């Protein structure tokens, strides 16, 4: 039953939106197809001034090259700001296509260049495959900045859901390897803590729709290769596990008030602030997971999008 706590503009969509509840090895292939099919059913705005190019970036040592979709303004500007973007899908599903609409609009409005990473998925490729693929692309973009016509001093990272969690891990990895300076991290309802719904239980009202406790448990188990909530999980796998958040790039964290990730996202934001990391937080009332992807024209979705577009504009000065 749809609860009254859901914002009215998001209630009707729940009748047709896909749910990841009950995700398993047996239905994973079908779920992956359903996710892409649902994305393709969302009306999208055409941005004729945005161009797409597919390329392959050298992968981590001993691993395959990483497919990347590059979004650019049609009118190239030398030394444009750049965003390495990481798509959603629980680290077990999805491709850059699921965030195609978001990337096109970002390029159209901000004039930046986006490198959307088609990282390897679990369980076929468990940790550290996804994060190392993302780091390989980040390092390549930094090293090839002159050839790519981007300003590596205005290099930011971002992602949503699992991509947001990988973004947070990527910020930690970039800080610790000290090879690439990241200016900003955009964390859109990020998947940060493997313990959520396993050894740490959020409010019962959270995570009832789209991305549920059972889906979260399956995805983390597939990625980690062991039970989520186990001891010894690396902070580069689950960013919430990090002990030290000092020295990370400024952050934006946005999440819905009914999202399974609400508690972990707000606590991570609090810890970032306590560590001296400038952090902006946006909580969308009555919103469940990926609400803005499937109902992009809802007033709350528009407000949410405006909040992180504004945060990016501010840090990139565009």
């Amino acid at each position: 039953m749809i609860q009254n706590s859901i914002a009215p503009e998001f209630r009707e969509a729940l009748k047709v939106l896909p749910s990841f509840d009950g995700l398993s090895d047996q239905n994973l292939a079908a779920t992956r197809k359903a996710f892409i099919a649902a994305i393709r059913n969302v009306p999208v705005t055409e941005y004729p001034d945005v161009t797409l190019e597919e390329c392959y970036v050298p992968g981590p040592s001993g691993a395959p090259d990483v497919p990347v979709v590059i979004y650019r303004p049609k009118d190239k500007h030398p030394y444009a700001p750049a965003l390495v973007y990481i798509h959603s899908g629980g680290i077990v599903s999805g491709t850059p296509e699921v965030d195609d609409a978001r990337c096109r609009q970002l390029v159209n409005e901000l004039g930046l260049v986006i490198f959307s990473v088609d990282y390897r998925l679990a369980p076929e490729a468990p940790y550290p495959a996804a994060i190392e693929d993302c780091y390989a692309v980040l390092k390549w973009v930094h090293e090839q900045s002159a050839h790519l016509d981007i300003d590596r001093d205005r290099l930011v990272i971002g992602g949503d859901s699992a991509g947001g969690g990988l973004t947070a891990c990527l910020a930690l990895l970039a800080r610790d390897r000290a090879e690439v300076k990241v200016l900003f991290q955009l964390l859109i309802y990020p998947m940060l803590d493997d313990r959520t719904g396993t050894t740490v239980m959020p409010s019962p009202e959270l995570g009832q729709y789209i991305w549920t406790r059972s889906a979260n448990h399956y995805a983390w188990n597939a990625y980690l290769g062991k039970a989520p909530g186990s001891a010894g999980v690396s902070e580069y796998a689950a960013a919430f596990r990090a002990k030290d958040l000092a020295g990370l790039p400024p952050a934006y964290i946005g999440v819905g008030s009914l999202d399974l990730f609400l508690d972990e996202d707000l606590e991570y934001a609090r810890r970032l602030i306590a560590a001296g990391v400038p952090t902006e937080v946006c909580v969308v009332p009555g919103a469940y997971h990926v609400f803005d992807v499937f109902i992009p024209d809802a007033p709350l979705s528009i407000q949410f999008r405006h909040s992180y577009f504004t945060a990016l504009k501010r840090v990139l000065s565009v």
Side-chain angles (χ1 to χ4, degrees):
M1 184 175 69
I2 298 176
Q3 298 190 10
N4 292 330
S5 53
I6 299 175
E9 60 209 79
F10 299 139
R11 293 177 187 172
E12 190 67 21
L14 279 178
K15 297 177 181 178
V16 296
L17 289 185
S19 174
F20 288 83
D21 199 39
L23 194 58
S24 67
D25 287 341
Q26 288 69 39
N27 63 25
L28 179 58
T31 300
R32 287 172 171 171
K33 291 179 181 178
F35 184 31
I36 295 295
I39 290 290
R40 290 174 178 169
N41 283 331
V42 178
V44 296
T45 302
E46 295 293 333
Y47 293 105
D49 292 332
V50 176
T51 66
L52 269 67
E53 172 191 352
E54 296 181 2
C55 72
Y56 287 85
V57 169
S61 178
D65 290 348
V66 184
V68 174
V69 179
I70 304 175
Y71 297 81
R72 286 186 180 273
K74 183 175 289 184
D75 296 325
K76 286 187 178 182
H77 298 285
Y79 306 111
L83 164 62
V84 173
Y85 197 84
I86 310 173
H87 70 76
S88 61
I91 325 183
V92 296
S93 68
T95 70
E97 183 180 357
V98 303
D99 287 298
D100 180 72
R102 192 194 310 274
C103 289
R104 287 175 184 269
Q105 187 172 5
L106 281 164
V107 172
N108 185 71
E109 294 194 17
L110 302 187
L112 45 65
V113 179
I114 293 180
F115 301 86
S116 187
V117 186
D118 195 359
Y119 55 88
R120 287 171 288 167
L121 300 176
E124 295 90 340
Y127 173 79
I131 186 60
E132 290 293 353
D133 284 355
C134 295
Y135 186 81
V137 173
L138 176 66
K139 187 176 179 182
W140 177 81
V141 169
H142 181 264
E143 291 176 344
Q144 300 296 318
S145 58
H147 173 71
L148 295 167
D149 284 332
I150 58 118
D151 180 1
R152 70 181 189 181
D153 291 328
R154 290 190 294 164
L155 178 55
V156 302
I157 58 177
D160 60 303
S161 191
L166 286 166
T167 298
C169 293
L170 187 58
L172 290 162
L173 202 55
R175 178 199 65 182
D176 296 346
R177 291 184 178 173
E179 296 176 311
V180 180
K181 182 179 179 182
V182 172
L183 185 64
F184 185 76
Q185 51 180 323
L186 176 67
L187 310 179
I188 302 173
Y189 30 79
M191 178 180 174
L192 299 168
D193 191 356
D194 63 292
R195 295 167 293 191
T196 296
T198 57
T199 59
V200 175
M201 291 296 171
S203 166
E205 192 169 75
L206 303 181
Q208 294 190 52
Y209 311 105
I210 314 298
W211 192 257
T212 64
R213 287 164 173 76
S214 70
N216 207 45
H217 184 280
Y218 172 81
W220 277 115
N221 187 77
Y223 184 49
L224 298 176
K226 61 182 177 181
S230 298
V233 172
S234 169
E235 64 192 61
Y236 306 132
F240 199 91
R241 297 289 196 126
K243 304 289 188 207
D244 178 15
L245 302 182
L248 289 173
Y252 170 99
I253 298 180
V255 64
S257 67
L258 300 179
D259 197 308
L260 179 65
F261 302 147
L262 176 68
D263 290 349
E264 66 191 67
D265 289 356
L266 293 182
E267 177 59 16
Y268 196 70
R270 186 200 66 77
R271 291 176 56 209
L272 284 169
I273 293 167
V277 178
T279 303
E280 179 178 347
V281 180
C282 176
V283 178
V284 182
Y288 42 77
H289 197 58
V290 297
F291 64 96
D292 60 319
V293 172
F294 291 106
I295 314 99
D297 294 331
L300 284 173
S301 295
I302 294 170
Q303 290 177 33
F304 179 56
R305 195 157 54 244
H306 177 74
S307 73
Y308 67 80
F309 274 50
T310 300
L312 281 171
K313 286 179 183 178
R314 185 168 56 248
V315 73
L316 297 174
S317 299
V318 297

